[in-house]
Every structure is written in structure tokens, then in C-alpha cells.
Amino acid sequence: MSWISRVRNALAYVTTKATDTPDNLWHKCKGCGTMVFTKELEDNLYVCPTCDHHERIGPARRFEYLFDKNSYTVIASPKVAEDPLKFRDQKPYPARLKAARAATGEPDAFLNASGTIHGQKAVIGVQDFAFMGGSMGQAVGEAFIAGVEAAIGARAPYIVFTASGGARMQEGILSLMQMPRTTVAIEMLHDAGLPYIVVLTDPTSGGVMAAYAMLGDVQIAEPRATLAFTGRRVIENTIREKLPDDFQTSEYYRDHGLVDMVEHRKDLRDVLGRLIGLLCNAKEAA
């Protein structure tokens, strides 16, 4: 046996094969670039312990973090026509939907659940940026309306977490029609005397920003989220002025009166619990 073989065999006893090492032990923070141990990030609600950057999370984790333990039930989303315009770009629209569903395990970019927060009834709708950029199509519109109807049926507030790049281009005008439809649904909620609370997360933009994302009775945002109707460059070219560095951030919106508060993810559950108590009691007293 050559010396190379002897060394290779010896190393096999003291080193771990690459195939035995999980590839998700570490996460690189998108805010500061620090490598964070994934378990530590999970324990910190997917907020970087170094720079406080809030990572994007989907409906399952939102529901887990917000609802009382074992108190919530996911609401089935209505079925819609999957490819009404027979749209195709680099690949067919149904193929994109299939890939997004396989990656996220969700039927589309918006999911509702009903449960309790600090013992108080609530319906929560969560938009998932991981599903085709959280784009708003017919499925998102129908799910939003289903969430409103569930809130009215339960006599509970409707809390929506937005995260979207805007309308879904594969559905054209049918996607844009969801803007007035969701606005009417919010009016139904108001007519029933129930609060509508919006939590803006990173990023929220486009048609969603121009519709239900900015119509809350209370507007909350997570720290340093990008919030915009259109891109920074488009606005600068239009007005021919340089915009502030913090333009289109949660903090800029709060300082200019467009959102009511910016809240850390670890505080959201308590903040929402207090708001539900205040708003629902006020409605009942009225």
C-alpha cells in the first residue's frame, strides 16, 4: 500500500464526508453579510442577531409566531381558472405555477388562517414573496375575499401581511381587477364593524401597494422594509431630483405619516393583541 493510500485511509477516520454534512447549517444575512447559524436564526424569528435584518418568511411561520399555540386553522383557498389567458413567456404559466407550488408547498401567493391571539379571535392573511414574487392574480384576490368573509363570519378582525412585487403579468387585466375587488371586500369588513389591520413586510410594491396594502385602519410595517408603488429610478427620472437614501423604507413612511408604526417581529404578536382588544372593544362600545 502506497503512503498516499495510507494517509487517505487515516483521514477517513477523522474527517466527515461532505455528503454527511447538512448544507443548511449556516445562513448568510442579506443585511450585513454575516454568516449566522441557522438554528440561532430560527430561534430569533428569522431576524439577524447581528444587524436586526428581518428575513422574508412565509405563511406557516407567520401563523406559528402570531397565533396562540395550537389555536389556528388554515382556511382553504377558493379554486380559480389557472391559465385564463393561455399566457406563455419563456415557459407556460401552468409550469411556473407548478414550480412555485413545489418550492413553497402552497396553492398560491396568499394564505389565510383563523385562530386566536392572546385569546382574542383573529383571521390572518399572509402573502408569500417566495411564490412568484407574491404577485397578485385571481387566486390572491379570491383568497383575500375569502379571508374577509371568514373574518365577518367569526366576528373577528382581519390582519393582512403584505409582501409582493405587484400584479401578476401572466393574468393581465384579470390581475388588475383584483384591486377594486379587494377594496370592495374591505368595505364589507367596515360595514360589519370589524377592524382591518395591515402589516407591510419586505418588499411590498406595485398594484398591491396601490390597493389593500395601504387601506388599513392601522398601518404597521416591519423595520427597513422596502415599500413602493414604483421604482426609485423611475421617480427620480420623472421629478429630476435625487431622493433621500432612506426613501421607500418603513421608517421613511412612518416619519412622513404613511404608516402608524414600525414594529420589530418579536413585538408584533403583543402589538396585534393590544390593537385587537382596543379596536374591537371600541367597535362594541360604539
Side-chain angles (χ1 to χ4, degrees):
M1 181 183 293
S2 70
W3 67 270
I4 294 178
S5 298
R6 288 198 298 272
V7 169
R8 184 184 297 117
N9 292 340
L11 286 174
Y13 288 100
V14 296
T15 60
T16 304
K17 294 181 181 179
T19 54
D20 295 333
T21 304
D23 59 2
N24 60 347
L25 284 176
W26 297 91
H27 174 86
K28 185 175 181 180
C29 173
K30 295 179 179 63
C32 63
T34 301
M35 296 300 292
V36 184
F37 191 43
T38 302
K39 184 64 169 63
E40 182 182 5
L41 189 67
E42 291 174 354
D43 292 343
N44 205 39
L45 307 185
Y46 283 84
V47 176
C48 176
T50 302
C51 71
D52 244 13
H53 174 74
H54 285 51
E55 296 287 344
R56 297 167 184 167
I57 58 175
R61 289 196 175 97
R62 290 281 182 199
F63 298 151
E64 180 187 343
Y65 295 160
L66 294 166
F67 284 118
D68 298 336
K69 189 174 182 180
N70 300 324
S71 79
Y72 73 90
T73 304
V74 174
I75 299 170
S77 299
K79 301 282 187 183
V80 298
E82 296 218 331
D83 190 13
L85 303 182
K86 306 301 178 187
F87 189 95
R88 182 189 179 99
D89 47 277
Q90 292 178 331
K91 55 182 170 180
Y93 181 34
R96 292 194 181 277
L97 288 172
K98 183 177 180 180
R101 286 168 182 158
T104 63
E106 297 159 13
D108 212 280
F110 198 101
L111 201 62
N112 293 295
S114 177
T116 60
I117 299 175
H118 291 313
Q120 303 168 109
K121 290 187 295 184
V123 175
I124 298 178
V126 178
Q127 205 157 5
D128 190 0
F129 194 79
F131 195 108
M132 295 185 69
S135 51
M136 175 182 62
Q138 289 185 100
V140 168
E142 289 293 342
F144 184 96
I145 293 168
V148 168
E149 291 173 342
I152 293 172
R155 298 298 302 164
Y158 190 36
I159 304 167
V160 169
F161 284 74
T162 62
S164 176
R168 188 169 296 176
M169 68 175 188
Q170 290 89 347
E171 296 186 22
I173 189 63
L174 299 175
S175 173
L176 296 178
M177 285 170 62
Q178 307 315 307
M179 296 170 66
R181 293 184 77 236
T182 54
T183 302
V184 170
I186 294 168
E187 285 302 310
M188 290 167 52
L189 200 66
H190 289 157
D191 290 343
L194 296 168
Y196 173 55
I197 301 170
V198 177
V199 183
L200 302 157
T201 75
D202 182 69
T204 300
S205 61
V208 169
M209 193 68 173
Y212 54 85
M214 293 302 290
L215 294 176
D217 298 315
V218 179
Q219 297 283 145
I220 307 172
E222 286 192 332
R224 297 194 291 278
T226 298
L227 311 174
F229 173 65
T230 191
R232 180 191 187 97
R233 188 186 306 170
V234 173
I235 298 172
E236 286 184 333
N237 289 341
T238 301
I239 66 175
R240 301 184 186 279
E241 289 184 19
K242 176 70 175 174
L243 296 168
D245 291 338
D246 64 345
F247 183 68
Q248 295 182 326
T249 64
S250 302
E251 290 73 16
Y252 185 92
Y253 273 54
R254 177 198 58 202
D255 295 343
H256 289 78
L258 293 173
V259 301
D260 298 299
M261 59 187 88
V262 176
E263 294 292 341
H264 195 284
R265 187 171 291 162
K266 65 180 175 59
D267 299 323
L268 267 176
R269 175 174 150 82
D270 290 337
V271 168
L272 291 171
R274 288 197 300 272
L275 280 173
I276 292 169
L278 289 169
L279 293 173
C280 289
N281 289 337
K283 296 281 188 183
E284 290 172 4

